[in-house]
Amino acid sequence: MYHSVGSANTIRWGFRMRITVNGEPVDLPEGVTVAELIAQIGLSTTICAAEVNRNLVPKRDQDTRELRDGDAVEIVTLVGGG
């Protein structure tokens, strides 16, 4: 399934790219950071971890780590239960 993430506010990034997020293809504007992706999918207030191309992106670097065409992103959150 092919997803498009973004809004009119994301036009500033220009060209579009395709990445994979948790195994699903996603179309994004170039220049999107890991933190912006997390916000776009509604997880900005959730504790989560992100990997890009199997490399952990520390929380402190998520605002500056730009995604590139072809990147594979995994985002995981904590789930409680009992």
Side-chain angles (χ1 to χ4, degrees):
M1 179 175 216
Y2 181 73
H3 297 281
S4 181
V5 177
S7 67
N9 294 333
T10 62
I11 299 301
R12 67 181 171 86
W13 290 300
F15 299 105
R16 300 197 70 76
M17 64 179 171
R18 182 178 276 191
I19 65 170
T20 303
V21 179
N22 294 348
E24 294 289 329
V26 177
D27 183 38
L28 290 171
E30 280 187 347
V32 172
T33 65
V34 171
E36 290 168 330
L37 173 63
I38 290 169
Q40 287 288 330
I41 60 176
L43 296 175
S44 60
T45 60
T46 304
I47 296 173
C48 60
E51 283 185 353
V52 178
N53 302 324
R54 297 186 176 226
N55 294 304
L56 181 66
V57 179
K59 176 78 171 158
R60 68 179 176 269
D61 297 335
Q62 291 177 4
D63 286 330
T64 57
R65 173 55 167 92
E66 288 189 4
L67 297 169
R68 296 178 188 89
D69 190 47
D71 279 346
V73 181
E74 293 291 326
I75 298 174
V76 294
T77 61
L78 300 174
V79 177

Coordinates of all heavy atoms in Angstrom, one line a residue:
M1 N 0.8 -1.2 0.0 CA 0.0 0.0 0.0 C 0.9 1.2 0.0 O 1.9 1.3 0.7 CB -0.9 0.0 1.2 CG -1.8 1.2 1.3 SD -2.9 1.0 2.7 CE -4.3 1.7 2.0
Y2 N 0.6 2.2 -0.8 CA 1.4 3.4 -1.0 C 0.7 4.6 -0.2 O -0.5 4.9 -0.4 CB 1.4 3.8 -2.4 CG 2.2 5.0 -2.8 CD1 3.6 4.9 -2.7 CD2 1.6 6.1 -3.2 CE1 4.4 6.0 -3.0 CE2 2.4 7.2 -3.5 CZ 3.8 7.2 -3.4 OH 4.5 8.3 -3.7
H3 N 1.4 5.2 0.8 CA 0.9 6.2 1.6 C 1.5 7.6 1.2 O 2.7 7.6 0.8 CB 1.2 6.0 3.1 CG 0.6 4.7 3.6 ND1 -0.7 4.7 4.0 CD2 1.1 3.5 3.8 CE1 -1.0 3.5 4.4 NE2 0.1 2.7 4.3
S4 N 0.8 8.6 1.5 CA 1.4 10.0 1.3 C 1.2 10.7 2.7 O 0.1 10.7 3.2 CB 0.6 10.8 0.2 OG 1.2 12.0 0.1
V5 N 2.3 11.2 3.2 CA 2.3 11.9 4.5 C 2.6 13.3 4.2 O 3.6 13.6 3.5 CB 3.3 11.2 5.5 CG1 3.3 12.0 6.8 CG2 3.0 9.8 5.7
G6 N 1.9 14.2 4.8 CA 2.2 15.6 4.6 C 1.0 16.5 4.5 O -0.1 16.0 4.5
S7 N 1.2 17.8 4.3 CA 0.1 18.7 4.2 C 0.6 19.9 3.4 O 1.7 19.9 2.9 CB -0.3 19.2 5.6 OG 0.7 20.0 6.1
A8 N -0.3 20.9 3.2 CA 0.1 22.0 2.4 C 1.3 22.7 3.1 O 2.1 23.3 2.4 CB -1.0 23.0 2.3
N9 N 1.5 22.6 4.4 CA 2.6 23.2 5.1 C 4.0 22.5 4.7 O 5.0 23.1 5.0 CB 2.4 23.1 6.6 CG 1.2 23.9 7.0 OD1 0.9 24.9 6.4 ND2 0.6 23.6 8.1
T10 N 3.9 21.3 4.1 CA 5.2 20.6 3.8 C 5.7 20.9 2.4 O 6.8 20.5 2.1 CB 5.0 19.1 4.0 OG1 4.0 18.7 3.0 CG2 4.6 18.7 5.4
I11 N 5.0 21.7 1.7 CA 5.4 22.1 0.3 C 6.8 22.7 0.3 O 7.6 22.6 -0.6 CB 4.4 23.0 -0.4 CG1 3.0 22.3 -0.5 CG2 4.9 23.5 -1.7 CD1 3.1 21.0 -1.2
R12 N 7.2 23.4 1.4 CA 8.5 24.1 1.4 C 9.7 23.2 1.1 O 10.7 23.7 0.8 CB 8.7 24.8 2.8 CG 8.8 23.8 3.9 CD 8.9 24.6 5.2 NE 8.9 23.7 6.4 CZ 9.9 23.1 6.9 NH1 11.1 23.2 6.3 NH2 9.8 22.3 7.9
W13 N 9.5 21.9 1.3 CA 10.6 21.0 1.1 C 10.9 20.7 -0.4 O 12.0 20.2 -0.7 CB 10.4 19.7 1.8 CG 10.5 19.9 3.3 CD1 11.6 20.3 4.0 CD2 9.5 19.6 4.3 NE1 11.3 20.4 5.4 CE2 10.1 19.9 5.5 CE3 8.2 19.2 4.2 CZ2 9.3 19.8 6.7 CZ3 7.5 19.0 5.4 CH2 8.0 19.3 6.6
G14 N 10.0 21.0 -1.3 CA 10.2 20.8 -2.7 C 10.0 19.4 -3.2 O 8.9 18.9 -3.0
F15 N 11.0 18.8 -3.8 CA 10.8 17.5 -4.4 C 10.3 16.4 -3.5 O 10.5 16.5 -2.3 CB 12.1 17.0 -5.1 CG 12.6 18.0 -6.1 CD1 13.7 18.8 -5.9 CD2 12.0 18.1 -7.4 CE1 14.1 19.7 -6.8 CE2 12.4 18.9 -8.3 CZ 13.5 19.8 -8.1
R16 N 9.7 15.4 -4.1 CA 9.2 14.3 -3.2 C 10.2 13.1 -3.3 O 10.9 12.9 -4.2 CB 7.8 13.9 -3.7 CG 6.9 15.1 -3.6 CD 5.4 14.8 -3.7 NE 4.9 14.2 -2.5 CZ 4.6 14.7 -1.3 NH1 4.9 15.9 -1.1 NH2 4.0 14.0 -0.4
M17 N 10.1 12.3 -2.2 CA 10.9 11.1 -2.1 C 10.1 10.0 -1.6 O 9.0 10.2 -1.0 CB 12.1 11.3 -1.2 CG 11.7 11.6 0.2 SD 13.2 11.9 1.2 CE 12.4 12.5 2.7
R18 N 10.5 8.8 -1.8 CA 9.8 7.6 -1.2 C 10.7 6.9 -0.3 O 11.9 6.6 -0.6 CB 9.4 6.6 -2.3 CG 8.7 5.4 -1.8 CD 8.2 4.5 -2.8 NE 7.0 5.0 -3.4 CZ 6.2 4.3 -4.2 NH1 6.6 3.0 -4.5 NH2 5.1 4.7 -4.7
I19 N 10.2 6.7 0.9 CA 10.9 5.9 2.0 C 10.0 4.8 2.4 O 8.9 4.7 2.0 CB 11.3 6.8 3.2 CG1 10.0 7.3 3.9 CG2 12.2 8.0 2.7 CD1 10.3 8.0 5.2
T20 N 10.5 4.0 3.3 CA 9.7 2.9 3.8 C 9.6 3.1 5.3 O 10.6 3.4 6.0 CB 10.4 1.5 3.6 OG1 10.6 1.4 2.2 CG2 9.5 0.4 4.1
V21 N 8.4 3.1 5.9 CA 8.2 3.3 7.3 C 7.5 2.1 7.8 O 6.4 1.8 7.4 CB 7.3 4.6 7.6 CG1 7.1 4.7 9.1 CG2 8.0 5.8 7.0
N22 N 8.2 1.4 8.7 CA 7.7 0.1 9.3 C 7.2 -0.8 8.2 O 6.1 -1.4 8.3 CB 6.6 0.4 10.3 CG 7.1 1.2 11.6 OD1 8.3 1.3 11.7 ND2 6.2 1.7 12.4
G23 N 7.9 -0.9 7.2 CA 7.6 -1.9 6.1 C 6.7 -1.4 5.0 O 6.4 -2.1 4.1
E24 N 6.1 -0.2 5.2 CA 5.2 0.4 4.2 C 5.8 1.5 3.4 O 6.4 2.4 4.0 CB 3.9 0.9 4.9 CG 3.1 -0.2 5.6 CD 2.4 -1.1 4.6 OE1 2.0 -0.6 3.5 OE2 2.2 -2.2 5.0
P25 N 5.6 1.6 2.1 CA 6.2 2.7 1.3 C 5.4 4.0 1.7 O 4.2 4.0 1.8 CB 5.9 2.3 -0.1 CG 4.9 1.2 -0.1 CD 5.0 0.6 1.2
V26 N 6.1 5.1 1.8 CA 5.6 6.4 2.1 C 6.2 7.5 1.2 O 7.4 7.5 1.0 CB 5.9 6.7 3.6 CG1 5.3 8.1 4.0 CG2 5.2 5.7 4.6
D27 N 5.4 8.3 0.7 CA 5.8 9.5 -0.1 C 5.9 10.7 0.8 O 5.0 11.1 1.4 CB 4.8 9.7 -1.2 CG 5.2 10.7 -2.2 OD1 6.4 10.9 -2.5 OD2 4.3 11.5 -2.6
L28 N 7.1 11.4 0.8 CA 7.3 12.5 1.6 C 8.0 13.6 0.8 O 8.8 13.3 -0.2 CB 8.2 12.2 2.8 CG 7.6 11.4 3.9 CD1 8.7 11.0 4.9 CD2 6.5 12.1 4.6
P29 N 7.9 14.9 1.2 CA 8.8 15.9 0.6 C 10.2 15.7 1.0 O 10.5 15.2 2.1 CB 8.2 17.2 1.1 CG 6.9 16.9 1.7 CD 7.0 15.4 2.1
E30 N 11.2 16.1 0.1 CA 12.6 16.0 0.5 C 12.8 16.9 1.7 O 12.2 18.0 1.8 CB 13.5 16.4 -0.7 CG 13.7 15.3 -1.7 CD 14.7 15.7 -2.7 OE1 15.1 16.9 -2.8 OE2 15.1 14.8 -3.4
G31 N 13.8 16.6 2.5 CA 14.1 17.4 3.6 C 13.4 17.2 4.9 O 13.7 17.8 5.9
V32 N 12.5 16.2 5.0 CA 11.8 15.9 6.2 C 12.8 15.2 7.2 O 13.5 14.4 6.8 CB 10.6 15.0 5.9 CG1 10.0 14.4 7.2 CG2 9.6 15.7 5.0
T33 N 12.7 15.7 8.4 CA 13.5 15.1 9.4 C 12.8 13.9 10.1 O 11.6 13.8 10.0 CB 13.9 16.1 10.5 OG1 12.7 16.5 11.2 CG2 14.6 17.3 9.9
V34 N 13.5 13.1 10.9 CA 12.9 12.1 11.6 C 11.8 12.6 12.6 O 10.7 12.1 12.7 CB 14.0 11.3 12.4 CG1 13.3 10.3 13.4 CG2 14.9 10.6 11.5
A35 N 12.1 13.7 13.3 CA 11.2 14.3 14.2 C 9.9 14.8 13.5 O 8.8 14.6 14.0 CB 11.8 15.5 14.9
E36 N 10.1 15.3 12.3 CA 8.9 15.8 11.5 C 8.1 14.6 11.1 O 6.8 14.6 11.1 CB 9.3 16.6 10.3 CG 9.9 17.9 10.7 CD 10.6 18.7 9.6 OE1 11.2 18.0 8.7 OE2 10.6 19.9 9.7
L37 N 8.7 13.5 10.7 CA 8.0 12.3 10.3 C 7.2 11.7 11.5 O 6.0 11.4 11.4 CB 8.9 11.2 9.8 CG 8.3 9.8 9.5 CD1 7.2 9.9 8.4 CD2 9.4 8.8 9.2
I38 N 7.8 11.7 12.6 CA 7.2 11.2 13.9 C 5.9 12.1 14.2 O 4.9 11.6 14.5 CB 8.1 11.2 15.0 CG1 9.2 10.1 14.8 CG2 7.4 11.0 16.4 CD1 10.3 10.1 15.8
A39 N 6.1 13.4 14.0 CA 5.0 14.3 14.2 C 3.9 14.1 13.2 O 2.7 14.1 13.6 CB 5.4 15.8 14.2
Q40 N 4.2 13.9 12.0 CA 3.2 13.7 10.9 C 2.4 12.5 11.1 O 1.2 12.4 10.7 CB 3.9 13.6 9.5 CG 4.4 15.0 9.0 CD 3.3 15.9 8.6 OE1 2.2 15.5 8.2 NE2 3.5 17.2 8.7
I41 N 3.0 11.4 11.7 CA 2.2 10.2 11.9 C 1.5 10.2 13.3 O 0.9 9.2 13.7 CB 3.0 8.9 11.7 CG1 4.2 8.9 12.6 CG2 3.4 8.8 10.2 CD1 5.0 7.6 12.4
G42 N 1.6 11.3 14.0 CA 0.9 11.5 15.2 C 1.5 10.9 16.5 O 0.8 10.7 17.5
L43 N 2.8 10.8 16.5 CA 3.5 10.2 17.6 C 4.4 11.2 18.4 O 5.2 10.7 19.2 CB 4.3 9.0 17.2 CG 3.5 7.8 16.7 CD1 4.5 6.7 16.2 CD2 2.6 7.2 17.7
S44 N 4.3 12.5 18.1 CA 5.2 13.4 18.7 C 5.1 13.5 20.2 O 6.1 13.9 20.9 CB 5.0 14.8 18.1 OG 3.7 15.3 18.3
T45 N 4.0 13.1 20.8 CA 3.8 13.2 22.2 C 4.0 11.8 22.9 O 3.8 11.7 24.1 CB 2.4 13.7 22.6 OG1 1.4 12.9 22.1 CG2 2.2 15.2 22.1
T46 N 4.3 10.8 22.1 CA 4.5 9.5 22.5 C 6.0 9.1 22.6 O 6.8 9.6 21.8 CB 3.9 8.5 21.5 OG1 2.5 8.8 21.3 CG2 4.0 7.0 22.0
I47 N 6.4 8.4 23.6 CA 7.7 7.9 23.7 C 8.0 6.9 22.6 O 7.2 5.9 22.6 CB 8.0 7.3 25.1 CG1 7.9 8.4 26.2 CG2 9.4 6.7 25.1 CD1 8.0 7.8 27.6
C48 N 8.9 7.1 21.8 CA 9.2 6.2 20.7 C 10.7 6.2 20.4 O 11.4 7.1 20.7 CB 8.3 6.5 19.5 SG 8.5 8.1 18.8
A49 N 11.1 5.2 19.7 CA 12.5 5.1 19.2 C 12.4 5.0 17.7 O 11.4 4.5 17.1 CB 13.1 3.8 19.7
A50 N 13.4 5.5 17.0 CA 13.5 5.5 15.5 C 14.8 5.0 15.1 O 15.9 5.4 15.6 CB 13.2 6.9 15.0
E51 N 14.7 4.2 14.1 CA 15.9 3.7 13.3 C 15.8 4.1 11.9 O 14.7 4.1 11.3 CB 16.0 2.1 13.3 CG 16.4 1.5 14.6 CD 16.5 0.0 14.4 OE1 16.2 -0.6 13.3 OE2 17.0 -0.7 15.3
V52 N 16.9 4.5 11.3 CA 17.0 4.7 9.9 C 18.1 3.8 9.3 O 19.2 3.9 9.8 CB 17.3 6.2 9.6 CG1 17.4 6.4 8.1 CG2 16.2 7.1 10.2
N53 N 17.7 3.0 8.4 CA 18.6 2.0 7.8 C 19.3 1.2 8.8 O 20.5 1.0 8.8 CB 19.6 2.8 6.8 CG 18.9 3.5 5.8 OD1 17.8 3.1 5.3 ND2 19.4 4.7 5.4
R54 N 18.6 0.8 9.8 CA 19.0 -0.1 10.9 C 20.0 0.6 11.9 O 20.6 -0.1 12.7 CB 19.6 -1.4 10.4 CG 18.6 -2.2 9.7 CD 19.2 -3.5 9.3 NE 18.2 -4.3 8.6 CZ 18.0 -5.6 8.9 NH1 18.7 -6.2 9.8 NH2 17.0 -6.3 8.3
N55 N 20.1 1.9 11.8 CA 20.9 2.7 12.8 C 20.0 3.5 13.7 O 19.1 4.3 13.2 CB 21.8 3.6 12.1 CG 22.9 2.9 11.3 OD1 23.6 2.0 11.8 ND2 22.9 3.1 10.0
L56 N 20.1 3.3 15.0 CA 19.3 4.1 15.9 C 19.6 5.6 15.8 O 20.7 6.0 15.7 CB 19.6 3.6 17.4 CG 18.8 4.3 18.5 CD1 17.3 4.0 18.4 CD2 19.4 4.0 19.8
V57 N 18.5 6.4 15.8 CA 18.6 7.8 15.7 C 18.3 8.3 17.1 O 17.1 8.3 17.5 CB 17.7 8.5 14.7 CG1 17.9 10.0 14.7 CG2 18.0 7.9 13.3
P58 N 19.3 8.8 17.9 CA 19.0 9.2 19.3 C 18.0 10.4 19.2 O 18.0 11.2 18.3 CB 20.3 9.7 19.8 CG 21.3 9.0 18.9 CD 20.7 8.8 17.6
K59 N 17.2 10.5 20.3 CA 16.2 11.6 20.4 C 16.8 12.9 20.1 O 16.2 13.8 19.4 CB 15.5 11.5 21.8 CG 14.5 12.6 22.1 CD 13.2 12.3 21.4 CE 12.2 13.3 21.9 NZ 11.1 13.5 21.0
R60 N 18.0 13.2 20.6 CA 18.7 14.5 20.5 C 19.0 14.8 19.0 O 19.2 16.0 18.7 CB 19.9 14.6 21.3 CG 21.0 13.6 20.9 CD 22.3 13.7 21.7 NE 23.3 12.7 21.3 CZ 23.4 11.5 21.8 NH1 22.6 11.1 22.7 NH2 24.3 10.7 21.3
D61 N 19.1 13.8 18.2 CA 19.4 14.0 16.8 C 18.2 13.9 15.8 O 18.4 14.2 14.6 CB 20.4 12.9 16.3 CG 21.7 13.0 17.1 OD1 22.1 14.1 17.6 OD2 22.4 11.9 17.2
Q62 N 17.0 13.6 16.3 CA 15.9 13.4 15.5 C 15.4 14.7 14.8 O 14.9 14.7 13.7 CB 14.7 12.8 16.2 CG 15.0 11.4 16.6 CD 13.9 10.8 17.4 OE1 12.9 11.4 17.7 NE2 14.1 9.5 17.9
D63 N 15.7 15.9 15.4 CA 15.3 17.2 14.8 C 16.2 17.5 13.6 O 15.8 18.3 12.8 CB 15.4 18.3 15.8 CG 14.3 18.3 16.8 OD1 13.2 17.8 16.4 OD2 14.5 18.7 17.9
T64 N 17.4 17.0 13.6 CA 18.4 17.4 12.5 C 18.6 16.2 11.5 O 19.2 16.5 10.4 CB 19.7 17.8 13.1 OG1 20.2 16.8 13.9 CG2 19.5 19.1 13.9
R65 N 18.2 15.0 11.8 CA 18.5 13.9 10.9 C 17.5 13.9 9.8 O 16.3 13.5 9.9 CB 18.5 12.6 11.6 CG 18.5 11.3 10.8 CD 19.8 11.3 9.9 NE 20.0 10.0 9.3 CZ 19.5 9.5 8.2 NH1 18.8 10.3 7.4 NH2 19.8 8.3 7.7
E66 N 17.9 14.4 8.6 CA 17.0 14.4 7.4 C 16.9 13.0 6.8 O 17.9 12.3 6.7 CB 17.5 15.4 6.4 CG 17.3 16.9 6.8 CD 17.6 17.9 5.7 OE1 17.9 17.4 4.6 OE2 17.5 19.1 6.0
L67 N 15.8 12.7 6.3 CA 15.5 11.5 5.6 C 15.9 11.7 4.1 O 15.8 12.8 3.6 CB 14.1 11.0 5.8 CG 13.7 10.7 7.2 CD1 12.2 10.6 7.4 CD2 14.5 9.5 7.7
R68 N 16.3 10.5 3.5 CA 16.7 10.6 2.1 C 15.9 9.5 1.3 O 15.4 8.5 1.9 CB 18.2 10.3 1.9 CG 19.0 11.4 2.6 CD 20.5 11.0 2.5 NE 21.3 11.9 3.2 CZ 21.6 11.8 4.5 NH1 21.2 10.7 5.2 NH2 22.4 12.7 5.1
D69 N 15.7 9.8 0.0 CA 15.0 8.8 -0.8 C 15.6 7.4 -0.6 O 16.8 7.2 -0.7 CB 15.1 9.3 -2.3 CG 14.2 8.5 -3.2 OD1 13.0 8.3 -2.9 OD2 14.7 8.0 -4.3
G70 N 14.7 6.5 -0.4 CA 15.1 5.1 -0.3 C 15.4 4.6 1.2 O 15.6 3.5 1.4
D71 N 15.4 5.6 2.1 CA 15.6 5.2 3.5 C 14.6 4.2 4.0 O 13.4 4.3 3.6 CB 15.6 6.4 4.4 CG 16.9 7.2 4.4 OD1 18.0 6.7 3.9 OD2 17.0 8.4 4.9
A72 N 15.0 3.4 4.9 CA 14.1 2.4 5.6 C 14.0 2.9 7.1 O 15.0 2.9 7.8 CB 14.6 1.0 5.5
V73 N 12.8 3.3 7.5 CA 12.6 3.8 8.8 C 11.8 2.8 9.6 O 10.8 2.4 9.1 CB 11.9 5.2 8.8 CG1 11.8 5.8 10.2 CG2 12.7 6.2 7.9
E74 N 12.2 2.6 10.9 CA 11.4 1.8 11.8 C 11.1 2.7 13.0 O 12.1 3.3 13.6 CB 12.1 0.5 12.2 CG 12.3 -0.5 11.1 CD 11.1 -1.1 10.7 OE1 10.1 -1.3 11.5 OE2 11.0 -1.4 9.5
I75 N 9.9 2.8 13.4 CA 9.5 3.6 14.5 C 8.7 2.7 15.5 O 7.8 2.0 15.0 CB 8.6 4.8 14.1 CG1 9.4 5.7 13.2 CG2 8.1 5.5 15.4 CD1 8.6 6.9 12.6
V76 N 9.2 2.6 16.7 CA 8.5 1.7 17.7 C 8.1 2.5 18.9 O 8.8 3.5 19.3 CB 9.4 0.5 18.1 CG1 9.6 -0.4 16.9 CG2 10.7 0.9 18.6
T77 N 7.0 2.1 19.5 CA 6.6 2.8 20.8 C 6.4 1.7 21.8 O 6.4 0.5 21.6 CB 5.2 3.4 20.6 OG1 4.2 2.5 20.2 CG2 5.3 4.5 19.5
L78 N 6.3 2.1 23.1 CA 6.1 1.2 24.2 C 4.6 0.9 24.3 O 3.8 1.8 24.2 CB 6.6 1.8 25.5 CG 8.1 2.2 25.5 CD1 8.4 2.9 26.8 CD2 8.9 0.9 25.4
V79 N 4.3 -0.3 24.5 CA 2.9 -0.7 24.7 C 2.8 -1.5 26.0 O 3.5 -2.5 26.3 CB 2.4 -1.6 23.6 CG1 1.0 -2.1 23.8 CG2 2.6 -0.9 22.2
G80 N 2.0 -1.0 26.9 CA 1.8 -1.6 28.2 C 0.6 -2.6 28.2 O -0.2 -2.6 27.3
G81 N 0.6 -3.5 29.0 CA -0.5 -4.5 29.1 C -0.3 -5.4 30.2 O 0.7 -5.4 31.0
G82 N -1.2 -6.3 30.4 CA -1.1 -7.2 31.5 C -1.8 -8.4 31.4 O -2.2 -9.1 30.7

